Amino acid sequence: IGSQAGQAMTSGRLNIMLGFQAGLATNSGSDNIFLGTLTGSTNTSGSNNVYIGRANGSNLNASNNVAIGYNALVGASGSTASTSVAIGTDALKAVTSATNNLALGSLAATRVTSGSNNVSLGTSSFSNGTTGFSNIIIGSSAAVALTTGNNNIIIGEGAALGTTDVGWANSIIIGNSAARTVGTTEIDNL
């Protein structure tokens, strides 16, 4: 339902598309729910997606994603990011090939492109992360400085906020405002 919604459908089945150009290019994708203007608009064969909100998944051709909120999980053009959950305005917005991510909160993991297996809970948490993987970030503005780090646990409002581009690895940082001035290549810290 909606102008150009599901316009290219040929063999896809069991889809729900509601909104201007929702599922516009979907031809063989099945079991999708696209609710909102431009949701899933470039998806051709991706299946098992739930996109609710304006432009969610609009540049993805992927499967097994959930995106709720304005511009959540939009993806770069031609993105194949899959098996992720993004809830909040601009959550996981820049994904390209990232998989298995969970981002809850406005701007959570908003710049992640290919980083996978991350959990980002809180407004602006891990908001500058790009390729980091296997991180657990909990707290508003937590790990804002972390861009490429791997295998970290960062918990607390403003923890690892920092002002420089960092690639920490194997570190645990707990506490509000903890590690605000840690160096750029910290490894194996508690």
Side-chain angles (χ1 to χ4, degrees):
I1 300 174
S3 178
Q4 300 176 342
Q7 180 174 298
M9 187 64 60
T10 56
S11 61
R13 55 189 204 91
L14 304 173
N15 293 292
I16 298 171
M17 300 170 185
L18 175 64
F20 175 70
Q21 293 188 349
L24 171 69
T26 303
N27 55 37
S28 62
S30 297
D31 300 298
N32 293 298
I33 299 173
F34 299 149
L35 304 178
T37 298
L38 299 173
T39 56
S41 58
T42 62
N43 180 68
T44 57
S45 58
S47 297
N48 308 311
N49 295 297
V50 176
Y51 298 147
I52 301 172
R54 189 178 196 287
N56 293 351
S58 59
N59 290 321
L60 296 180
N61 185 29
S63 298
N64 306 310
N65 289 308
V66 174
I68 300 172
Y70 180 78
N71 279 341
L73 205 66
V74 169
S77 182
S79 295
T80 58
S82 62
T83 320
S84 291
V85 175
I87 299 176
T89 298
D90 294 329
L92 279 173
K93 182 179 179 179
V95 294
T96 55
S97 59
T99 61
N100 303 314
N101 287 297
L102 170 63
L104 301 178
S106 179
L107 299 171
T110 193
R111 292 191 177 127
V112 168
T113 54
S114 59
S116 295
N117 304 311
N118 293 297
V119 174
S120 180
L121 308 178
T123 299
S124 296
S125 59
F126 198 39
S127 59
N128 288 311
T130 55
T131 60
F133 62 86
S134 300
N135 294 294
I136 298 172
I137 313 296
I138 301 172
S140 178
S141 296
V144 169
L146 187 64
T147 56
T148 60
N150 306 313
N151 306 308
N152 295 293
I153 298 172
I154 300 172
I155 300 173
E157 181 178 359
L161 182 63
T163 57
T164 59
D165 177 14
V166 296
W168 299 317
N170 307 314
S171 294
I172 299 173
I173 299 169
I174 299 175
N176 290 346
S177 300
R180 281 191 179 230
T181 59
V182 177
T184 59
T185 57
E186 302 299 324
I187 298 174
D188 301 320
N189 290 295
L190 173 61

